[in-house]
């Protein structure tokens, strides 16, 4: 007996004109992940043997996003959902088993709902099962018409519905499970004699029904999950729903969100227990935050790793790492490839770029550390500049352990400042500094007596 397979067809060929965008519809992001990738990720959790994505507009961009997680077929002309599914025939038509058809612009479906749909389909021994939902306002959706026994008779599109049918609140979500071979047989019987001149997948349901095949309908509980995104208004709504879902998961896992409605966390962010997150925080990309951290209001963190007990106050971090018990802010900036050691203090208006800062070092305020390699327990005064750029190349400054960098010093790279050394405030340092030395590079102070009295407005006591 042939092996029963589970397959999925993701419909992702539409341009999405209502998005009014240069970006193809299914690549618009919901909580940091393209819509079509949300769909694929949930589908993959349901143990699928083969996934085929139907691409059209933006085919190369969609393939670049999903990579080898899916097979692809091209729908060159957009002639409707039935026509899109037909394009997968060379890959799927001979397979025994069931095939899920789902749209790439429905980012809110969960693996749990899709698994329930497969199980329901198998239990009913159906040839086709429609995923339906009860809509608060069904206008615009295809309605599910059932007979007195609750058996699905047909799906009626809004524009073809009678007044009585328009009253039906059960709607077609556009997701189906079919017996694979029955699907392709029925597709060959569809025609495009309708208002749009397109081949509809819904016609397959009626064809199967008329053949006496069992057509079932599984009603999902959460209508929001079925939402398709056709414009920016719907995109914003999908983001809100997904954000709520993400935030509730973190809170149930022991993270405190002071105001979840105003906290924006991407799909792939992980956060440890007992971390507190204030309002207005954005956590983006593949950010990882440890336990017992504090992320203060209006901080933004991209693709960074924060270990335990890290404190971030109103600061901007990208592609960087902060180790245990370090802190930053307010109003500071970690640019890419900054590695902040344990117990490091970075105060206000400090910018760090492509630098390593060793344990216990303090950089209090108004300082730029670029291409720096700082050891442990260094005190960096106010207004210090690591002068890393000579107009052609970026150069490195190394500062040894237990050194003291006075306020308003300029460290001109390439430079080596040994450990246990001093840089006097206001110095511009161009030569290496040896261990235990103090480097001072500034003009001797000169006081001009009675200077004030020579000024045109001077002279009074």
């Amino acid at each position: 007996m042939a092996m029963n397979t589970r397959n999925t067809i993701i419909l992702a060929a539409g341009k999405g004109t209502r998005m009014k965008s240069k970006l193809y519809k299914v690549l618009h992001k919901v909580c940091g992940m393209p819509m079509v990738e949300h769909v694929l990720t949930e589908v993959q959790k349901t143990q699928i043997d083969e996934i085929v994505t139907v691409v059209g507009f933006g085919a190369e961009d969609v393939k670049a996003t999903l990579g080898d997680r899916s097979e692809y077929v091209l729908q060159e002309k957009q002639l409707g959902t039935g026509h899109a599914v037909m394009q997968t025939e060379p890959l799927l038509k001979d397979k025994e088993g069931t095939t899920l058809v789902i749209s790439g612009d429905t980012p809110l479906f969960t693996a749990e709902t899709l698994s329930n749909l497969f199980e329901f389909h198998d239990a009913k021994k159906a040839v086709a099962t429609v995923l339906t939902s009860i809509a608060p306002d069904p206008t615009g959706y295809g309605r599910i018409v059932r007979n007195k026994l609750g058996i699905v008779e047909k799906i009626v599109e809004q524009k073809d519905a009678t007044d009585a049918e328009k009253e039906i609140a059960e709607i077609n979500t556009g997701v189906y499970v079919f017996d694979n071979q029955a699907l392709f047989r029925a597709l060959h019987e569809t025609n495009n004699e309708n208002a749009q001149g397109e081949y509809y997948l819904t016609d397959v349901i009626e064809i199967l029904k008329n053949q006496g095949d069992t057509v079932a309908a599984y009603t999902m509980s959460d209508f929001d999950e079925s939402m398709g995104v056709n414009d920016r208004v719907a995109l914003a709504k999908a983001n809100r729903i997904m954000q709520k879902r993400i935030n509730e998961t973190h809170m149930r896992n022991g993270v405190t969100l002071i105001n979840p409605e105003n906290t924006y966390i991407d799909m792939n962010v992980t956060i440890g227990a007992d971390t507190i997150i204030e309002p207005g925080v954005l956590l983006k990309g593949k950010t990882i935050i440890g336990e017992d951290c504090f992320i203060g209001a209006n901080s933004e963190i991209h693709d960074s790793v924060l270990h335990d007990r890290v404190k971030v106050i109103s600061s901007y971090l990208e592609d960087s790492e902060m180790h245990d018990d370090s802190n930053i802010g307010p109003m500071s900036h970690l640019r890419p490839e900054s590695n902040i050691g344990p117990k490091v203090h970075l105060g206000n208006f400090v910018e760090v770029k492509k630098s390593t800062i060793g344990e216990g070092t303090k950089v209090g305020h108004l300082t730029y550390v670029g291409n720096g390699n700082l050891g442990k327990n260094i005190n960096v005064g106010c207004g210090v500049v690591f002068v890393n750029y000579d107009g052609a190349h970026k150069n490195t400054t190394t500062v040894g352990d237990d050194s003291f960098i006075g306020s308003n010093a300029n460290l001109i790279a390439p430079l080596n400042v040994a450990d246990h050394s001093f840089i006097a405030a206001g110095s511009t340092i161009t030569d290496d500094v040896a261990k235990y030395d103090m480097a001072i590079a500034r003009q001797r102070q000169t006081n001009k007596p009675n200077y004030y009295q020579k000024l045109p407005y001077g002279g009074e006591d």
Side-chain angles (χ1 to χ4, degrees):
M1 185 181 158
M3 170 74 186
N4 260 355
T5 60
R6 259 194 196 184
N7 313 290
T8 296
I9 300 168
I10 300 175
L11 305 178
K15 190 168 193 288
T17 44
R18 281 179 282 172
M19 296 298 275
K20 295 192 167 50
S21 178
K22 292 177 285 298
L23 185 66
Y24 298 103
K25 178 161 91 163
V26 297
L27 296 179
H28 280 267
K29 288 184 177 179
V30 172
C31 295
M33 186 189 276
M35 292 197 282
V36 69
E37 193 178 343
H38 279 284
V39 174
L40 177 62
T41 300
E42 294 305 305
V43 162
Q44 281 183 318
K45 292 177 189 169
T46 64
Q47 276 79 52
I48 298 291
D49 297 300
E50 185 153 10
I51 300 172
V52 184
T53 302
V54 182
V55 292
F57 290 104
E60 293 314 309
D61 294 339
V62 175
K63 288 180 186 177
T65 299
L66 302 182
D68 58 8
R69 295 166 65 188
S70 171
E71 308 269 331
Y72 302 93
V73 294
L74 183 67
Q75 183 189 21
E76 285 182 27
K77 289 201 174 91
Q78 319 294 283
L79 301 175
T81 47
H83 178 260
V85 173
M86 275 298 285
Q87 308 310 302
T88 69
E89 193 174 38
L91 291 179
L92 295 178
K93 71 162 190 265
D94 296 329
K95 292 186 183 291
E96 300 255 335
T98 48
T99 297
L100 169 76
V101 180
I102 188 167
S103 176
D105 63 0
T106 53
L108 300 173
F109 279 115
T110 61
E112 186 184 7
T113 295
L114 300 178
S115 293
N116 290 346
L117 174 63
F118 274 119
E119 278 176 37
F120 184 87
H121 175 83
D122 293 343
K124 293 287 182 203
K125 299 191 167 41
V127 174
T129 302
V130 188
L131 181 61
T132 72
S133 193
I134 307 301
D137 174 11
T139 311
Y141 290 95
R143 308 299 204 284
I144 305 297
V145 181
R146 295 177 184 257
N147 67 13
K148 288 190 176 68
L149 297 174
I151 294 166
V152 178
E153 290 286 302
K154 58 180 176 173
I155 300 171
V156 182
E157 296 305 316
Q158 169 82 26
K159 51 186 169 301
D160 304 321
T162 64
D163 286 346
E165 286 166 347
K166 282 178 183 164
E167 295 297 309
I168 297 170
E170 187 180 5
I171 58 100
N172 174 18
T173 65
V175 176
Y176 311 88
V177 173
F178 294 99
D179 171 272
N180 187 65
Q181 295 187 353
L183 166 64
F184 289 104
R185 280 199 300 275
L187 276 171
H188 282 287
E189 296 181 36
T190 59
N191 61 52
N192 62 348
E193 291 158 19
N194 51 49
Q196 304 291 329
E198 291 185 349
Y199 296 88
Y200 290 138
L201 191 56
T202 42
D203 291 350
V204 168
I205 299 292
E206 205 155 347
I207 289 164
L208 294 172
K209 187 78 200 159
N210 293 341
Q211 289 172 2
D213 288 322
T214 304
V215 174
Y218 172 68
T219 311
M220 57 190 266
S221 52
D222 180 4
F223 171 71
D224 279 344
E225 241 186 80
S226 67
M227 188 178 133
V229 174
N230 289 316
D231 61 18
R232 311 279 180 142
V233 177
L235 184 66
K237 188 178 177 195
N239 267 290
R240 280 200 302 279
I241 294 166
M242 184 66 79
Q243 196 59 77
K244 187 166 188 273
R245 210 184 269 178
I246 291 169
N247 289 358
E248 285 181 3
T249 301
H250 286 298
M251 290 189 284
R252 290 187 204 290
N253 289 338
V255 178
T256 297
L257 304 184
I258 303 295
N259 180 2
E261 284 73 45
N262 192 13
T263 305
Y264 306 91
I265 303 174
D266 277 357
M267 278 298 292
N268 293 322
V269 171
T270 60
I271 309 173
D274 289 315
T275 285
I276 297 172
I277 298 176
E278 290 198 326
V281 168
L282 286 83
L283 302 179
K284 309 212 122 191
K286 294 192 163 31
T287 291
I288 299 170
I289 295 178
E291 298 191 352
D292 303 293
C293 293
F294 176 85
I295 313 295
N298 304 318
S299 294
E300 191 167 329
I301 303 177
H302 292 251
D303 295 303
S304 295
V305 178
L306 277 57
H307 294 252
D308 297 339
R309 299 174 302 282
V310 171
K311 194 170 185 180
V312 176
I313 302 172
S314 306
S315 292
Y316 188 98
L317 283 59
E318 41 184 341
D319 294 306
S320 291
E321 185 162 5
M322 294 184 70
H323 292 269
D324 292 355
D325 303 292
S326 57
N327 66 79
I328 184 171
M331 305 302 161
S332 287
H333 185 182
L334 291 187
R335 285 169 54 195
E337 295 180 64
S338 297
N339 194 326
I340 309 305
K343 298 188 171 67
V344 168
H345 165 66
L346 303 175
N348 40 213
F349 301 101
V350 172
E351 180 178 329
V352 181
K353 183 222 103 181
K354 205 172 183 177
S355 296
T356 302
I357 300 183
E359 180 170 1
T361 288
K362 294 180 171 57
V363 185
H365 18 230
L366 300 157
T367 288
Y368 173 62
V369 182
N371 298 82
N373 191 352
L374 284 71
K376 299 177 179 178
N377 302 317
I378 298 165
N379 190 323
V380 179
C382 177
V384 171
V385 178
F386 281 65
V387 184
N388 60 333
Y389 187 49
D390 60 11
H393 304 101
K394 300 285 172 81
N395 299 298
T396 302
T397 294
T398 301
V399 180
D401 299 347
D402 302 297
S403 301
F404 181 94
I405 313 292
S407 293
N408 210 28
N410 295 310
L411 305 181
I412 312 248
L415 187 67
N416 234 317
V417 177
D419 56 12
H420 296 84
S421 60
F422 271 75
I423 307 289
S427 295
T428 293
I429 303 296
T430 55
D431 298 331
D432 290 354
V433 181
K435 191 173 182 178
Y436 302 133
D437 283 5
M438 173 157 116
I440 180 162
R442 57 187 185 212
Q443 193 74 1
R444 288 261 171 210
Q445 181 172 333
T446 315
N447 290 4
K448 304 283 186 188
N450 300 322
Y451 178 77
Y452 183 85
Q453 286 164 314
K454 293 174 185 165
L455 298 173
Y457 52 80
E460 300 97 25
D461 281 350

